[in-house]
Amino acid sequence: MSHYFIGIQVKPELAKQLSVWQTSLSNQLPYKQWTSRPDFHITLVFLGDMDEKLIQTLQSKLPFAATYSIFDIKRTTLGTFGNKQHPRVLWMGIENNPVLNQIQRKVVQICESIGYNKDNRAYTPHITIAKKWANQDKFLTEKIWNDVLNNMPDLDDKFKVDAFHLYKVHPASNPKYEIVQSFPLS
């Protein structure tokens, strides 16, 4: 079995900007994994290990979630998951968007219909910048965090979402995520 997720690919222009910015961040923040440029995405549903037959069934049902029109989403500011002093994930937030939320809920419903057990955490759309805090002795202080926020470069504020994708995860590769199938919006 392989790991899969459903997500939205970040447009190349923003991915390039995020990648350049990561270089300066990596000098300030000790993370083990920095997302590679082609892997920037917004997760709709993380599926984990899935049997190939279930994936085929899912592929036949996901077009029913692609009935929405193309829409714009806006990025917001940085956030973290985990302990504030050594957070496990650093991410760029995505503004609350009704169409994005509707698509995410529809994708979850389709996944549940084939036996996927939904994660009960609230959906927080984001683009992962880095993962796995690397140094328990070096804490993310308020000063460092404020420096990071105050030195954010000009990044594209919004981009069009015209599709979502089924991704397969290849943990030992770079890039790690392979688009298995795309689902264009109408």
Side-chain angles (χ1 to χ4, degrees):
M1 288 202 291
S2 297
H3 281 79
Y4 292 87
F5 68 91
I6 300 162
I8 296 167
Q9 187 174 34
V10 171
K11 297 298 180 200
E13 307 80 42
L14 179 56
K16 180 180 179 183
Q17 294 170 343
L18 289 171
S19 184
V20 168
W21 180 49
Q22 281 178 320
T23 303
S24 65
L25 281 179
S26 65
N27 296 325
Q28 293 177 273
L29 304 174
Y31 279 96
K32 292 179 187 175
Q33 291 182 6
W34 293 85
T35 305
S36 66
R37 184 188 303 183
D39 286 340
F40 285 121
H41 68 276
I42 302 160
T43 301
L44 296 172
V45 176
F46 180 76
L47 299 167
D49 272 341
M50 294 288 283
D51 178 85
E52 293 302 317
K53 288 187 181 192
L54 277 178
I55 288 298
Q56 289 173 2
T57 302
L58 185 59
Q59 286 176 278
S60 70
K61 292 182 175 235
L62 280 174
F64 295 107
T67 58
Y68 297 90
S69 297
I70 294 170
F71 64 100
D72 288 333
I73 55 175
K74 291 181 73 171
R75 68 158 187 89
T76 57
T77 191
L78 284 180
T80 61
F81 293 132
N83 184 313
K84 279 287 187 196
Q85 293 184 330
H86 42 90
R88 62 182 166 79
V89 176
L90 175 69
W91 48 262
M92 175 69 63
I94 300 298
E95 186 177 77
N96 189 12
N97 181 294
V99 178
L100 176 64
N101 292 333
Q102 290 169 353
I103 291 171
Q104 191 270 342
R105 282 193 300 274
K106 184 69 172 173
V107 168
V108 167
Q109 289 171 352
I110 290 169
C111 292
E112 287 177 330
S113 77
I114 66 161
Y116 165 75
N117 293 321
K118 180 183 178 283
D119 184 351
N120 289 323
R121 292 179 285 191
Y123 179 59
T124 305
H126 65 278
I127 302 165
T128 298
I129 305 298
K131 295 192 258 193
K132 298 186 179 178
W133 190 260
N135 185 345
Q136 295 299 323
D137 298 330
K138 184 174 181 179
F139 296 109
L140 180 57
T141 64
E142 191 169 330
K143 181 193 178 322
I144 292 171
W145 183 248
N146 287 333
D147 285 348
V148 168
L149 290 176
N150 291 330
N151 292 309
M152 282 180 59
D154 287 334
L155 300 169
D156 288 345
D157 277 343
K158 66 180 181 176
F159 65 91
K160 286 205 177 308
V161 175
D162 56 7
F164 62 89
H165 313 279
L166 174 64
Y167 288 87
K168 185 174 186 176
V169 180
H170 301 281
S173 299
N174 192 9
K176 293 179 189 276
Y177 310 133
E178 169 195 2
I179 293 177
V180 175
Q181 186 173 353
S182 296
F183 303 91
L185 300 178
S186 56

